[in-house]
Amino acid sequence: MEEIRRSYCGLCHPRCGTLLHMDNNQVVKVTGDPQHPISRGAICERGRFMVEHLYHPQRLNYPLKRIGKKGEGRWQRISWDQALDEVAEKLASLKEKHGAETLAFTHGTKRTYHWDCRRFFNLFGSPNTCGVNTICMCPSYATEYATYGGMVMGSEVMGARCVVLWGNNASNSSPLYLSAHLAKARKNGAKLIVIDPRRIKEAEQADLWLQVRPGTDLALMLGWIRLIIAEELYDREFVANWTVGFDELKAAVEAYTPEKVAEITSVSAELIVQAARMYATTGPAVIPFGFGLDKQGINATQCARARAILRAITGNLEVSGGENFSMTGEVGKIHDWEYLELNDTLPASQRAKQLGAKQYPIFGFPGWERNSAANKKLPEGYVAPPEAWHSNLAHAREVMNAIITGKPYPVTAAITLANNPLLALPNTKRVFKALQALELYVVVDYFMTPSAAMADYVFPAASTVETPELWLTGGFCVACPQAMEPLYERRNSYDFYRGLAMRLGQEQYWPWETVEEVYDHCLEPLGLNFKQLQNQPGIFGAREYRRYEKFGFGTPSGKVELKSSIFEELGKDALPQYREPVWSPKADPTLTEEYPLILITGSRYMPIYHSEHRQIEAARKKMPDPLVSIHPVTAERLGLAEGDWAVISTPLASIRQRVKLSDAMDPAMVDIQHSWWFPERDPKLPELFGVFESNANMLCPDDPEFCSPEIGSWPHSALMCRVEKEKQS
Ligand SMILES: Nc1nc2c(c(=O)[nH]1)N[C@H]1C(S)=C(S)[C@@H](COP(=O)(O)OP(=O)(O)OC[C@H]3O[C@@H](n4cnc5c(=O)[nH]c(N)nc54)[C@H](O)[C@@H]3O)O[C@H]1N2
Ligand SMILES: Nc1nc2c(c(=O)[nH]1)N[C@H]1C(S)=C(S)[C@@H](COP(=O)(O)OP(=O)(O)OC[C@H]3O[C@@H](n4cnc5c(=O)[nH]c(N)nc54)[C@H](O)[C@@H]3O)O[C@H]1N2
Ligand code: SF4
Ligand SMILES: [Mo]
């Protein structure tokens, strides 16, 4: 008889509610849960992979210990206890020898709990957790806290009258949410401006499409700000009462006339003016987060600043249909992730050792401490305090260098959980060298990935259907139920960290045996427990607007800092100024002779998620090979036809991908897919699942001159490359 269990999906971020159709205790089908308060019965194409993902023959089901040489693919199955004992023992001895900072962590995009990691690291004594947060969303988080004391997590797209899709490919990256919300806004008559070098689906339907040259968006933003000020289209009352630094901002953008911006961005002056006017005069208007801005390296941080400034001066902060912070009410009372991180337990002497924080203070302890202090001036639970995990990290390049060189001090051990650093981080060769140099490398994952194949110990992770989760965002809180006991010996990340913590003298800080008990504790202030919350739709904050009129903003001045005092104090540009991308036709004409095409990487596509799902048959059928999109005119000039294998090169390396013809972009540009590896290939070195063959990050640089000076965001876009037909061997 068929039984149905409530569950949730973890095959990407949003935790859509699902129903597991069980037959004989086996999941046979997954459908959307119509009762779920957020997803309301919808699941996407990828969500349907859950059955295959759960039972996949290549899943990791037991802890493994390396018995051959590193990367030799020889493993011994051991118990969790033995694996945790041995890892803990080794960690203790490395800590004794080199100090706690010798242990690093690499994270991916948030795919499971993360406060448990930070809690463990704080108590262990290491400030060196690093990873993709330096380029994904979190730069906006740190920057927006510095600018207006909170992160706009909720652009109210459905209620907006104008939506600016700036470097966001919503129909592929968020089909059920942003894309669906945009469709509703359009139905209500909202204007749409798309700013993207590619003619994405939304661009075809937009009122205005600005085909910007990659990496130049900041100049465009400064041009908008200048015009909005010059034409007095800004919200005078808001600016006068609730901002500081307006006159300095005005002076800083003076040079960015439409003509100058047109020259930099390749967008016509008329279109620049038209778009700025449309955005400023069609309120409420929103500019949701777009990764196209975060991935442009040198300008990324100031793009986030300039976007925040645009939102503020046009009066779109904390208004209905505008840009909103987390909501208060019941949600604000829950013990949140920052509370669980236990950041106060890491002593100042250890904080000071965070790798990269001197160079990039906005994203290390110095910036986070200032953002936290400003947040504490607000009433508790008003705006969520900045999480360390989101805005206070070591820099991955500096961590990799320390592993390789032992300088400024030896980093000898690393844990990777829910991340595939060889595919996610730039400069794959450097990352590989670092993984090779580690004395102890521990990976927790669903599958044996190329990164896991370099480990000393590999632990099997539980699927979301095998573990509970409290889904707490700024605006709401939903209990995601555990639908089944973990298969084999898979466990969740809490069990992994607690297992280590209990062996390393942290017992008093981990009194809860299971993660569900932690969630009971989080919900205590509401007089609820996890099971009770599971039986109700969730907790939703009250929607309140213009709350700043009561308490101000959580910044040092209590106002929106158009000129940022935190940036200034930490020696960084307090007002945004545009920089030409390092590899660009304008910056380096000699480089352009050898690498004539502008390169962007990683534009999202369904149904694949980063380096995942290459084992899933339905996904792979749809996307069997890595693709480089190239304009037909350019392809013809290079002798390339649809389906040919092409070699793509930058000064760092060459990789191969298959040609897909596309006139969606300028003939001078190419777009390559990221995170490609081949689970069907030899797992052993030197092949390592073909990780070096088609991996976009072989081509992406991360040296200091390429990174944003404030946060160290490296480029995955706005680069230069050469494309050739692959020679037949
Ligand atoms: N060239 C280029 N590089 C990029 C990007 C780009 O656009 N271009 N995008 C960047 C961005 S924005 C991001 S966020 C990163 C993503 O980088 P990652 O987060 O590393 O990417 P994924 O492949 O999604 O996840 C890595 C691993 O996590 C495992 N995993 C998933 N869920 C869980 C879980 O719950 N528990 C455990 N233990 N493991 C789990 C998966 O099996 C997978 O092997 O890539 C970045 N890299
Ligand atoms: N299917 C799928 N969905 C995903 C993911 C996935 O791997 N697969 N990853 C998830 C994650 S972690 C993230 S961060 C989000 C990201 O999702 P999005 O924010 O949509 O990011 P991307 O698709 O990387 O890039 C968005 C757009 O930026 C454009 N772009 C590139 N360079 C520039 C530039 O210099 N300027 C401008 N204006 N645009 C530029 C690209 O053409 C692309 O259309 O997607 C999430 N959703
Ligand atoms: S994969 Fe699809 S169904 Fe699953 S969480 Fe993501 S959007 Fe929702
Ligand atoms: Mo991301």
Side-chain angles (χ1 to χ4, degrees), residues 71 75 199 290 300 327 373 397 432 436 521 577 579 665 684:
W75 304 95
R199 195 181 63 246
M327 288 159 270
R397 180 194 67 235
F432 177 67
Q436 264 187 322
H521 174 68
Q577 285 299 317
R579 297 182 180 85
M665 61 210 166
K684 296 194 295 293

Side-chain angles (χ1 to χ4, degrees), residues 179-206:
S179 185
H181 295 179
L182 179 60
K184 287 206 176 115
R186 292 289 278 165
K187 228 173 162 183
N188 295 336
K191 300 267 185 223
L192 173 63
I193 304 172
V194 171
I195 303 171
D196 199 300
R198 298 184 308 139
R199 195 181 63 246
I200 56 174
K201 189 173 139 206
E202 292 83 352
E204 282 168 4
Q205 301 154 0

Side-chain angles (χ1 to χ4, degrees), residues 10 15 108-109 111-112 132 135-136 291 295 417-421 423-425 444-447 449 461-462 601-604 609-612 674-675 696-697 700 716:
R15 271 51 187 161
T109 185
R111 295 301 301 285
T112 176
V132 302
I135 44 107
C136 177
F291 185 57
K295 65 167 128 186
L417 188 149
N419 172 224
N420 201 346
L423 287 139
L425 293 174
V444 189
D445 205 297
Y446 295 141
F447 289 96
T449 66
T601 80
S603 305
R604 308 307 191 235
Y609 216 68
H610 298 295
S611 73
E612 297 183 64
H674 75 303
S675 278
N697 283 327
C700 297
H716 291 297

Side-chain angles (χ1 to χ4, degrees), residues 226-274:
R226 184 193 160 280
L227 187 110
I228 288 167
I229 295 176
E231 297 191 355
E232 301 199 1
L233 303 178
Y234 60 95
D235 183 331
R236 287 173 148 265
E237 203 192 314
F238 182 85
V239 167
N241 295 329
W242 293 107
T243 69
V244 292
F246 184 72
D247 291 337
E248 287 104 323
L249 174 69
K250 188 175 172 185
V253 298
E254 199 43 53
Y256 293 91
T257 59
E259 294 67 33
K260 175 172 165 156
V261 175
E263 198 190 306
I264 298 173
T265 59
S266 305
V267 179
S268 75
E270 300 76 65
L271 208 47
I272 293 165
V273 171
Q274 216 183 336

Side-chain angles (χ1 to χ4, degrees), residues 166-224:
W166 206 319
N168 188 314
N169 170 25
S171 53
N172 279 285
S173 59
S174 183
L176 295 186
Y177 298 94
L178 182 54
S179 185
H181 295 179
L182 179 60
K184 287 206 176 115
R186 292 289 278 165
K187 228 173 162 183
N188 295 336
K191 300 267 185 223
L192 173 63
I193 304 172
V194 171
I195 303 171
D196 199 300
R198 298 184 308 139
R199 195 181 63 246
I200 56 174
K201 189 173 139 206
E202 292 83 352
E204 282 168 4
Q205 301 154 0
D207 293 282
L208 301 174
W209 170 41
L210 279 61
Q211 190 178 19
V212 67
R213 173 165 71 94
T216 65
D217 299 83
L218 180 55
L220 185 57
M221 290 178 172
L222 300 180
W224 278 26

